[in-house]
Every structure is written in C-alpha cells, then in structure tokens.
Coordinates of all heavy atoms in Angstrom, one line a residue:
M3 N -5.1 7.0 -34.3 CA -4.1 6.9 -33.2 C -4.7 7.4 -31.9 O -4.4 6.8 -30.8 CB -2.9 7.7 -33.6 CG -1.8 7.7 -32.6 SD -1.1 6.0 -32.4 CE 0.3 6.3 -31.4
R4 N -5.4 8.5 -31.9 CA -6.0 9.0 -30.7 C -7.0 8.1 -30.1 O -7.1 7.9 -28.9 CB -6.6 10.4 -31.0 CG -7.0 11.1 -29.8 CD -7.5 12.5 -30.2 NE -7.1 13.4 -29.1 CZ -7.1 14.7 -29.2 NH1 -7.4 15.3 -30.3 NH2 -6.8 15.4 -28.1
A5 N -7.8 7.4 -31.0 CA -8.8 6.5 -30.5 C -8.2 5.3 -29.9 O -8.6 4.8 -28.9 CB -9.7 6.1 -31.7
F6 N -7.1 4.8 -30.5 CA -6.4 3.7 -29.9 C -5.8 4.0 -28.5 O -5.9 3.2 -27.6 CB -5.2 3.3 -30.8 CG -4.3 2.3 -30.2 CD1 -4.7 0.9 -30.1 CD2 -3.1 2.6 -29.7 CE1 -3.9 0.0 -29.6 CE2 -2.3 1.7 -29.1 CZ -2.7 0.4 -29.0
L7 N -5.2 5.2 -28.4 CA -4.7 5.6 -27.1 C -5.8 5.7 -26.1 O -5.6 5.3 -24.9 CB -3.9 7.0 -27.3 CG -3.2 7.5 -26.0 CD1 -2.2 6.5 -25.6 CD2 -2.5 8.8 -26.3
G8 N -6.9 6.3 -26.4 CA -8.0 6.4 -25.5 C -8.5 5.0 -25.1 O -8.8 4.8 -23.9
S9 N -8.7 4.1 -26.0 CA -9.1 2.8 -25.7 C -8.1 2.1 -24.8 O -8.5 1.3 -23.9 CB -9.3 2.0 -27.0 OG -10.3 2.5 -27.8
F10 N -6.8 2.3 -25.1 CA -5.8 1.6 -24.3 C -5.8 2.1 -22.8 O -5.8 1.3 -21.9 CB -4.4 1.9 -24.9 CG -3.3 1.4 -24.1 CD1 -3.0 0.0 -24.1 CD2 -2.5 2.2 -23.2 CE1 -2.0 -0.5 -23.3 CE2 -1.5 1.7 -22.5 CZ -1.2 0.4 -22.5
I11 N -6.0 3.4 -22.7 CA -6.0 4.0 -21.3 C -7.3 3.4 -20.6 O -7.2 3.0 -19.4 CB -6.0 5.5 -21.4 CG1 -4.7 6.0 -21.8 CG2 -6.4 6.1 -20.0 CD1 -4.6 7.4 -22.1
I12 N -8.4 3.4 -21.2 CA -9.6 3.0 -20.6 C -9.5 1.5 -20.2 O -9.8 1.1 -19.1 CB -10.9 3.2 -21.5 CG1 -11.2 4.7 -21.5 CG2 -12.1 2.4 -20.9 CD1 -12.2 5.1 -22.5
T13 N -9.0 0.7 -21.1 CA -8.8 -0.7 -20.8 C -7.8 -0.9 -19.7 O -8.0 -1.8 -18.8 CB -8.3 -1.5 -22.1 OG1 -9.2 -1.2 -23.1 CG2 -8.1 -2.9 -21.8
A14 N -6.7 -0.2 -19.7 CA -5.7 -0.3 -18.6 C -6.3 0.0 -17.3 O -6.1 -0.6 -16.3 CB -4.5 0.5 -18.9
V15 N -7.1 1.1 -17.2 CA -7.7 1.5 -16.0 C -8.7 0.5 -15.5 O -8.7 0.1 -14.3 CB -8.4 2.9 -16.1 CG1 -9.2 3.2 -14.9 CG2 -7.3 3.9 -16.3
L16 N -9.6 0.0 -16.4 CA -10.7 -0.9 -16.0 C -10.1 -2.3 -15.6 O -10.6 -2.9 -14.6 CB -11.7 -1.1 -17.1 CG -12.6 0.1 -17.4 CD1 -13.5 -0.1 -18.6 CD2 -13.4 0.5 -16.2
F17 N -9.1 -2.8 -16.3 CA -8.6 -4.1 -15.9 C -7.5 -4.0 -14.9 O -7.2 -5.0 -14.2 CB -8.2 -4.8 -17.2 CG -9.3 -5.2 -18.1 CD1 -9.5 -4.6 -19.3 CD2 -10.2 -6.2 -17.6 CE1 -10.6 -5.0 -20.1 CE2 -11.2 -6.6 -18.4 CZ -11.5 -6.0 -19.6
G18 N -6.8 -2.9 -14.8 CA -5.7 -2.8 -13.9 C -6.1 -2.3 -12.5 O -5.4 -2.6 -11.5
L19 N -7.2 -1.7 -12.4 CA -7.7 -1.1 -11.1 C -7.9 -2.1 -10.1 O -7.4 -1.9 -8.9 CB -8.9 -0.2 -11.4 CG -9.4 0.6 -10.2 CD1 -8.3 1.6 -9.9 CD2 -10.6 1.4 -10.6
P20 N -8.5 -3.3 -10.3 CA -8.7 -4.2 -9.2 C -7.4 -4.7 -8.7 O -7.3 -5.1 -7.5 CB -9.5 -5.4 -9.9 CG -10.1 -4.7 -11.1 CD -9.2 -3.6 -11.5
F21 N -6.3 -4.7 -9.5 CA -5.0 -5.2 -9.0 C -4.3 -4.1 -8.2 O -3.5 -4.4 -7.3 CB -4.1 -5.7 -10.1 CG -4.7 -6.8 -10.9 CD1 -5.2 -6.6 -12.2 CD2 -4.7 -8.1 -10.3 CE1 -5.8 -7.7 -12.8 CE2 -5.3 -9.2 -11.0 CZ -5.8 -9.0 -12.3
C22 N -4.6 -2.9 -8.4 CA -4.0 -1.8 -7.7 C -4.6 -1.5 -6.4 O -4.0 -1.0 -5.4 CB -4.0 -0.5 -8.6 SG -3.0 -0.7 -10.1
V23 N -6.0 -1.7 -6.3 CA -6.7 -1.4 -5.1 C -7.0 -2.7 -4.4 O -7.8 -3.5 -4.9 CB -8.0 -0.7 -5.5 CG1 -8.8 -0.4 -4.2 CG2 -7.7 0.6 -6.2
K24 N -6.3 -3.0 -3.4 CA -6.6 -4.2 -2.6 C -6.9 -3.9 -1.2 O -6.6 -2.8 -0.7 CB -5.4 -5.2 -2.7 CG -4.1 -4.6 -2.0 CD -3.0 -5.7 -2.1 CE -1.8 -5.2 -1.3 NZ -0.8 -6.2 -1.3
A25 N -7.6 -4.8 -0.6 CA -8.0 -4.5 0.8 C -6.8 -4.4 1.7 O -5.8 -5.1 1.6 CB -8.9 -5.7 1.3
Q26 N -6.9 -3.4 2.6 CA -5.8 -3.2 3.5 C -6.0 -4.0 4.7 O -7.0 -4.0 5.3 CB -5.7 -1.7 3.9 CG -5.5 -0.9 2.7 CD -4.7 0.3 3.0 OE1 -4.3 0.5 4.1 NE2 -4.5 1.1 2.0
T27 N -4.9 -4.7 5.1 CA -5.0 -5.5 6.3 C -4.7 -4.6 7.5 O -3.7 -3.9 7.4 CB -4.1 -6.7 6.3 OG1 -2.7 -6.2 6.0 CG2 -4.5 -7.7 5.2
P28 N -5.5 -4.5 8.5 CA -5.2 -3.7 9.6 C -4.0 -4.1 10.4 O -3.7 -5.3 10.4 CB -6.5 -3.7 10.5 CG -7.1 -5.0 10.1 CD -6.7 -5.3 8.7
L29 N -3.3 -3.2 11.1 CA -2.2 -3.5 12.0 C -2.7 -3.7 13.4 O -3.5 -2.9 13.8 CB -1.2 -2.4 11.9 CG -0.3 -2.2 10.7 CD1 0.5 -0.9 10.9 CD2 0.5 -3.4 10.4
S30 N -2.3 -4.7 14.0 CA -2.6 -4.8 15.4 C -1.7 -3.9 16.2 O -0.7 -3.4 15.7 CB -2.4 -6.3 15.9 OG -1.0 -6.6 15.9
A31 N -2.0 -3.7 17.5 CA -1.2 -2.9 18.4 C 0.2 -3.5 18.5 O 1.2 -2.7 18.5 CB -1.9 -2.7 19.7
D32 N 0.3 -4.8 18.6 CA 1.6 -5.4 18.7 C 2.4 -5.3 17.4 O 3.6 -5.0 17.5 CB 1.5 -6.9 19.0 CG 0.9 -7.2 20.4 OD1 1.1 -6.3 21.3 OD2 0.4 -8.3 20.6
Q33 N 1.8 -5.4 16.3 CA 2.5 -5.2 15.0 C 3.0 -3.8 14.9 O 4.1 -3.5 14.4 CB 1.6 -5.6 13.8 CG 1.3 -7.0 13.7 CD 0.2 -7.3 12.6 OE1 -0.7 -6.5 12.5 NE2 0.4 -8.4 11.9
A34 N 2.1 -2.8 15.2 CA 2.5 -1.4 15.1 C 3.7 -1.1 16.0 O 4.6 -0.4 15.7 CB 1.3 -0.5 15.4
A35 N 3.6 -1.6 17.3 CA 4.7 -1.4 18.2 C 6.0 -2.0 17.8 O 7.1 -1.4 17.9 CB 4.3 -2.0 19.6
Q36 N 5.9 -3.2 17.2 CA 7.1 -3.9 16.7 C 7.7 -3.1 15.5 O 8.9 -2.9 15.5 CB 6.8 -5.3 16.3 CG 8.0 -6.1 15.8 CD 7.7 -7.5 15.3 OE1 6.6 -7.9 15.3 NE2 8.8 -8.2 15.0
D37 N 6.9 -2.7 14.6 CA 7.4 -1.9 13.4 C 8.0 -0.6 13.9 O 9.1 -0.2 13.4 CB 6.3 -1.6 12.5 CG 5.8 -2.8 11.7 OD1 6.5 -3.9 11.7 OD2 4.7 -2.7 11.0
T38 N 7.4 0.0 14.8 CA 7.9 1.3 15.4 C 9.3 1.1 16.0 O 10.3 1.8 15.8 CB 6.9 1.9 16.4 OG1 5.7 2.1 15.7 CG2 7.4 3.2 17.0
R39 N 9.4 0.0 16.8 CA 10.6 -0.3 17.6 C 11.7 -0.6 16.6 O 12.9 -0.2 16.7 CB 10.4 -1.4 18.5 CG 11.5 -1.8 19.4 CD 11.1 -2.8 20.5 NE 10.5 -4.0 20.0 CZ 9.1 -4.3 20.1 NH1 8.4 -3.4 20.7 NH2 8.6 -5.4 19.6
V40 N 11.4 -1.4 15.6 CA 12.5 -1.8 14.6 C 13.0 -0.6 13.8 O 14.2 -0.5 13.7 CB 11.9 -2.9 13.6 CG1 12.8 -3.1 12.4 CG2 11.7 -4.2 14.3
L41 N 12.1 0.2 13.4 CA 12.6 1.4 12.6 C 13.4 2.3 13.5 O 14.4 2.8 13.1 CB 11.4 2.2 12.0 CG 11.8 3.4 11.1 CD1 12.7 2.9 10.0 CD2 10.6 4.1 10.6
K42 N 12.9 2.6 14.7 CA 13.6 3.5 15.6 C 15.0 2.9 15.9 O 16.0 3.7 15.8 CB 12.8 3.7 16.9 CG 13.5 4.6 17.8 CD 12.8 4.7 19.1 CE 13.6 5.6 20.1 NZ 13.1 5.6 21.4
T43 N 15.1 1.7 16.3 CA 16.4 1.1 16.7 C 17.4 1.1 15.5 O 18.6 1.3 15.6 CB 16.3 -0.2 17.4 OG1 15.6 -1.1 16.5 CG2 15.6 -0.1 18.7
T44 N 16.8 0.7 14.3 CA 17.7 0.6 13.1 C 18.2 2.0 12.7 O 19.4 2.1 12.4 CB 16.9 0.0 12.0 OG1 16.4 -1.3 12.4 CG2 17.7 -0.2 10.7
L45 N 17.4 3.0 12.7 CA 17.8 4.3 12.3 C 18.9 4.8 13.3 O 19.9 5.4 13.0 CB 16.7 5.3 12.2 CG 15.9 5.4 10.9 CD1 14.7 6.3 11.0 CD2 16.9 5.9 9.8
A46 N 18.6 4.7 14.6 CA 19.5 5.2 15.7 C 20.8 4.5 15.6 O 21.9 5.1 15.8 CB 18.8 5.0 17.0
A47 N 20.8 3.2 15.2 CA 22.1 2.4 15.2 C 22.9 2.6 13.9 O 24.1 2.6 14.0 CB 21.8 0.9 15.4
L48 N 22.2 2.8 12.8 CA 22.9 2.7 11.5 C 23.0 4.0 10.8 O 23.8 4.1 9.9 CB 22.2 1.6 10.7 CG 22.2 0.2 11.2 CD1 21.5 -0.7 10.3 CD2 23.6 -0.3 11.4
H49 N 22.2 5.0 11.0 CA 22.2 6.2 10.2 C 23.4 7.0 10.6 O 23.5 7.5 11.7 CB 20.9 7.0 10.4 CG 20.7 8.0 9.3 ND1 21.5 9.1 9.2 CD2 19.9 8.0 8.3 CE1 21.1 9.8 8.1 NE2 20.1 9.2 7.6
P50 N 24.3 7.3 9.6 CA 25.6 8.0 10.0 C 25.4 9.5 10.2 O 26.2 10.1 10.9 CB 26.5 7.8 8.8 CG 25.5 7.5 7.6 CD 24.3 6.8 8.2
G51 N 24.3 10.1 9.6 CA 24.1 11.5 9.7 C 22.9 11.9 10.5 O 22.3 12.9 10.2
L52 N 22.5 11.1 11.5 CA 21.3 11.4 12.2 C 21.2 12.7 12.9 O 20.2 13.4 12.9 CB 21.1 10.3 13.3 CG 19.7 10.0 13.8 CD1 18.7 9.7 12.6 CD2 19.7 9.0 14.8
T53 N 22.4 13.2 13.3 CA 22.4 14.5 14.0 C 23.2 15.5 13.2 O 23.7 16.5 13.8 CB 22.9 14.4 15.4 OG1 24.2 13.8 15.4 CG2 22.0 13.6 16.3
K54 N 23.4 15.3 11.9 CA 24.2 16.2 11.1 C 23.4 17.5 10.9 O 24.0 18.6 10.9 CB 24.5 15.6 9.7 CG 25.3 16.5 8.9 CD 25.7 15.7 7.6 CE 26.6 16.6 6.8 NZ 27.1 15.9 5.5
Y55 N 22.1 17.5 10.7 CA 21.3 18.7 10.4 C 20.4 19.0 11.6 O 19.7 20.0 11.6 CB 20.5 18.5 9.2 CG 21.3 18.2 7.9 CD1 21.4 16.9 7.4 CD2 22.1 19.2 7.4 CE1 22.2 16.7 6.3 CE2 22.8 19.0 6.3 CZ 22.9 17.7 5.7 OH 23.7 17.5 4.6
Q56 N 20.3 18.1 12.6 CA 19.4 18.4 13.7 C 20.2 18.1 15.0 O 21.2 17.3 15.0 CB 18.2 17.4 13.7 CG 17.3 17.5 12.5 CD 16.4 18.7 12.7 OE1 16.7 19.7 13.3 NE2 15.2 18.6 12.0
T57 N 19.9 18.7 16.1 CA 20.5 18.4 17.3 C 20.0 17.1 17.9 O 19.0 16.6 17.4 CB 20.2 19.5 18.4 OG1 18.9 19.5 18.7 CG2 20.7 20.9 17.9
A58 N 20.7 16.6 18.9 CA 20.2 15.3 19.5 C 18.9 15.5 20.1 O 18.0 14.6 20.1 CB 21.3 14.8 20.5
A59 N 18.6 16.6 20.7 CA 17.3 16.9 21.4 C 16.2 17.0 20.3 O 15.1 16.4 20.6 CB 17.4 18.2 22.2
Q60 N 16.5 17.6 19.2 CA 15.5 17.6 18.1 C 15.2 16.2 17.6 O 14.0 15.9 17.3 CB 15.9 18.5 17.0 CG 15.9 20.0 17.3 CD 16.6 20.8 16.3 OE1 17.6 20.4 15.7 NE2 16.0 22.0 16.0
M61 N 16.2 15.4 17.5 CA 16.0 14.0 17.0 C 15.2 13.2 18.0 O 14.4 12.4 17.7 CB 17.3 13.3 16.6 CG 17.8 13.8 15.2 SD 16.6 13.8 13.9 CE 16.0 12.1 13.9
D62 N 15.6 13.4 19.3 CA 14.8 12.7 20.4 C 13.3 13.1 20.3 O 12.5 12.2 20.5 CB 15.4 13.0 21.8 CG 16.8 12.4 22.0 OD1 17.1 11.4 21.3 OD2 17.5 12.9 22.9
A63 N 13.1 14.3 20.1 CA 11.7 14.8 20.0 C 11.0 14.1 18.8 O 9.8 13.7 18.8 CB 11.6 16.3 19.9
A64 N 11.7 14.0 17.7 CA 11.2 13.4 16.5 C 10.9 11.9 16.7 O 9.9 11.4 16.3 CB 12.1 13.6 15.3
F65 N 11.8 11.3 17.4 CA 11.6 9.8 17.7 C 10.4 9.7 18.7 O 9.6 8.7 18.5 CB 12.8 9.2 18.4 CG 13.9 8.8 17.4 CD1 15.2 9.3 17.4 CD2 13.6 7.9 16.3 CE1 16.1 8.9 16.5 CE2 14.5 7.5 15.4 CZ 15.8 8.0 15.5
T66 N 10.2 10.6 19.6 CA 9.1 10.5 20.5 C 7.8 10.7 19.8 O 6.8 10.0 20.0 CB 9.2 11.6 21.6 OG1 10.4 11.4 22.3 CG2 8.1 11.6 22.6
R67 N 7.7 11.7 18.8 CA 6.5 11.9 18.0 C 6.3 10.6 17.1 O 5.1 10.2 17.0 CB 6.7 13.1 17.1 CG 6.5 14.4 17.8 CD 6.4 15.6 16.7 NE 7.5 15.6 15.8 CZ 8.7 16.2 15.9 NH1 8.9 16.8 17.1 NH2 9.6 16.2 15.0
F68 N 7.3 10.0 16.6 CA 7.2 8.8 15.8 C 6.6 7.7 16.6 O 5.8 6.9 16.1 CB 8.5 8.4 15.1 CG 8.4 7.1 14.5 CD1 7.6 6.9 13.3 CD2 9.2 6.0 15.0 CE1 7.6 5.6 12.8 CE2 9.1 4.8 14.4 CZ 8.3 4.6 13.3
E69 N 7.2 7.5 17.8 CA 6.7 6.4 18.6 C 5.2 6.6 18.9 O 4.4 5.6 18.9 CB 7.4 6.4 20.0 CG 8.8 5.8 19.8 CD 9.6 5.8 21.1 OE1 9.5 6.8 21.9 OE2 10.3 4.8 21.3
A70 N 4.7 7.8 19.2 CA 3.3 8.0 19.5 C 2.5 7.7 18.2 O 1.5 7.0 18.3 CB 3.1 9.5 19.9
R71 N 2.9 8.3 17.1 CA 2.1 8.1 15.9 C 2.2 6.6 15.4 O 1.2 6.1 14.9 CB 2.5 9.0 14.8 CG 2.1 10.4 15.0 CD 2.2 11.3 13.8 NE 1.4 10.9 12.7 CZ 1.5 11.4 11.5 NH1 2.4 12.3 11.2 NH2 0.6 11.0 10.6
G72 N 3.4 6.1 15.5 CA 3.6 4.7 15.0 C 2.8 3.7 15.8 O 2.2 2.8 15.3
N73 N 2.9 3.8 17.1 CA 2.1 2.9 18.0 C 0.6 3.1 17.8 O -0.1 2.1 18.1 CB 2.5 3.1 19.5 CG 3.9 2.6 19.7 OD1 4.4 1.7 19.1 ND2 4.6 3.2 20.7
A74 N 0.2 4.2 17.4 CA -1.3 4.4 17.2 C -1.7 4.0 15.8 O -2.9 3.9 15.6 CB -1.6 5.9 17.4
A75 N -0.8 3.8 14.9 CA -1.1 3.4 13.5 C -1.8 2.1 13.5 O -1.4 1.1 14.2 CB 0.1 3.4 12.7
R76 N -2.9 2.0 12.7 CA -3.7 0.7 12.6 C -3.8 0.3 11.1 O -4.5 -0.6 10.8 CB -5.0 0.9 13.2 CG -5.0 1.0 14.7 CD -4.4 -0.3 15.4 NE -4.2 -0.1 16.8 CZ -3.0 0.2 17.3 NH1 -1.9 0.3 16.6 NH2 -2.9 0.3 18.6
S77 N -3.0 1.0 10.3 CA -3.0 0.6 8.9 C -1.6 0.9 8.3 O -0.9 1.7 8.9 CB -4.1 1.3 8.1 OG -3.8 2.7 7.9
G78 N -1.3 0.3 7.1 CA -0.1 0.6 6.5 C 0.1 2.0 6.1 O 1.2 2.6 6.4
P79 N -0.9 2.7 5.5 CA -0.7 4.1 5.2 C -0.5 5.0 6.5 O 0.3 5.9 6.4 CB -2.0 4.5 4.5 CG -2.5 3.2 3.9 CD -2.1 2.1 4.9
E80 N -1.1 4.6 7.6 CA -0.9 5.4 8.8 C 0.6 5.2 9.3 O 1.2 6.2 9.7 CB -1.8 5.0 9.9 CG -3.3 5.5 9.7 CD -4.2 4.9 10.7 OE1 -3.8 4.2 11.7 OE2 -5.4 5.2 10.6
M81 N 1.1 4.0 9.2 CA 2.5 3.7 9.6 C 3.4 4.4 8.6 O 4.4 5.0 9.0 CB 2.7 2.2 9.6 CG 4.1 1.9 10.1 SD 4.6 2.5 11.8 CE 3.7 1.3 12.7
Y82 N 3.1 4.4 7.3 CA 3.9 5.1 6.3 C 4.0 6.6 6.6 O 5.1 7.2 6.6 CB 3.3 4.9 4.9 CG 4.1 5.6 3.9 CD1 5.3 5.0 3.3 CD2 3.7 6.8 3.4 CE1 6.0 5.7 2.3 CE2 4.4 7.5 2.4 CZ 5.5 6.9 1.9 OH 6.3 7.5 0.9
L83 N 2.9 7.2 7.0 CA 2.9 8.6 7.3 C 3.8 8.9 8.5 O 4.5 9.9 8.6 CB 1.5 9.2 7.5 CG 0.7 9.3 6.2 CD1 -0.8 9.7 6.5 CD2 1.3 10.3 5.2
A84 N 3.7 8.1 9.5 CA 4.5 8.3 10.7 C 6.0 8.1 10.4 O 6.8 9.0 10.9 CB 4.0 7.3 11.8
A85 N 6.3 7.1 9.6 CA 7.7 6.9 9.2 C 8.2 8.1 8.4 O 9.3 8.5 8.5 CB 7.9 5.6 8.5
A86 N 7.4 8.5 7.4 CA 7.8 9.6 6.6 C 8.0 10.9 7.4 O 9.0 11.6 7.0 CB 6.7 9.9 5.5
E87 N 7.2 11.1 8.4 CA 7.5 12.3 9.2 C 8.8 12.2 9.9 O 9.6 13.2 10.0 CB 6.3 12.5 10.2 CG 6.5 13.7 11.1 CD 5.4 13.8 12.1 OE1 5.5 13.1 13.2 OE2 4.4 14.5 11.9
L88 N 9.1 11.0 10.4 CA 10.4 10.8 11.1 C 11.6 11.0 10.1 O 12.5 11.7 10.5 CB 10.5 9.4 11.7 CG 11.8 9.0 12.3 CD1 12.2 9.9 13.5 CD2 11.8 7.5 12.7
V89 N 11.5 10.4 9.0 CA 12.5 10.5 8.0 C 12.7 12.0 7.6 O 13.8 12.5 7.4 CB 12.3 9.6 6.8 CG1 13.2 9.9 5.6 CG2 12.4 8.2 7.2
A90 N 11.6 12.7 7.4 CA 11.7 14.1 7.0 C 12.4 14.9 8.1 O 13.1 15.9 7.9 CB 10.3 14.7 6.8
A91 N 12.2 14.5 9.4 CA 12.9 15.2 10.5 C 14.4 15.1 10.5 O 15.1 16.0 11.0 CB 12.3 14.8 11.8
I92 N 14.9 14.0 9.9 CA 16.3 13.8 9.8 C 17.0 14.9 8.9 O 18.1 15.3 9.0 CB 16.6 12.4 9.3 CG1 16.1 11.4 10.3 CG2 18.1 12.2 9.1 CD1 16.2 9.9 9.9
R93 N 16.2 15.3 7.8 CA 16.6 16.3 6.9 C 17.8 15.8 6.1 O 18.7 16.6 5.7 CB 16.9 17.6 7.5 CG 15.6 18.2 8.1 CD 15.9 19.6 8.6 NE 14.6 20.1 9.2 CZ 14.4 21.4 9.4 NH1 15.3 22.2 9.2 NH2 13.3 21.7 9.9
C94 N 17.9 14.6 5.8 CA 19.0 14.0 5.0 C 18.3 13.5 3.7 O 17.5 12.6 3.8 CB 19.7 12.9 5.7 SG 20.9 12.0 4.7
G95 N 18.7 14.0 2.6 CA 18.1 13.6 1.3 C 18.4 12.2 0.9 O 17.7 11.6 0.0
H96 N 19.3 11.5 1.5 CA 19.7 10.2 1.2 C 18.8 9.1 1.9 O 18.9 7.9 1.6 CB 21.1 9.9 1.4 CG 22.0 10.7 0.6 ND1 22.6 11.8 1.1 CD2 22.4 10.6 -0.7 CE1 23.3 12.4 0.1 NE2 23.2 11.7 -1.0
T97 N 18.1 9.6 2.9 CA 17.3 8.6 3.8 C 16.0 8.4 3.1 O 15.3 9.3 2.8 CB 17.1 9.2 5.2 OG1 18.4 9.4 5.7 CG2 16.4 8.2 6.1

C-alpha cells in the first residue's frame, strides 16, 4: 500500500506539473490600468460595508495604494497581490 501511494504521488507530480506551471502572460500598462479601474469602481459602488471597519479616509488611502501597485503590476501574481492588499484593508471577512 505504501509503495502504491508513493508511486501515485510521484506519477501525479511528474505528469501533473506541466499542467500546473504555465507561462505567465505579462500585463500591459493599459491592461493593468483597466483591471485597477474596474476593481476600484466595482468595490466602491457595490460593497455594502466598505467603511464599516475603516474610515472613509483610510479606505481612500487603501484605494490610492492599490492604484499605485495595480497600475505598476506587470503580471497576474503582482495584480493579485495588489488586489489582496486592498481587500485586506476593507477588513470584511466576506470580501
């Protein structure tokens, strides 16, 4: 049983790895700016508890930081980190 499990894990890693690791397509400056703008306007318009745990000034500062990091992002992971920082600033566990 242990040998089977070991073989299964090695096979899954060797054959599954190429599908998990794919080349990242870079973001252009226009794409990054558009993604940043869409997320900012959507959150500002639709999030019901945007200022429940933060003041409006704190959220404005978080949006400003997000715009700087989001517009500078040139890959998906960089944009994800910028968006995650913004979402964390909201301090709402449902977001």
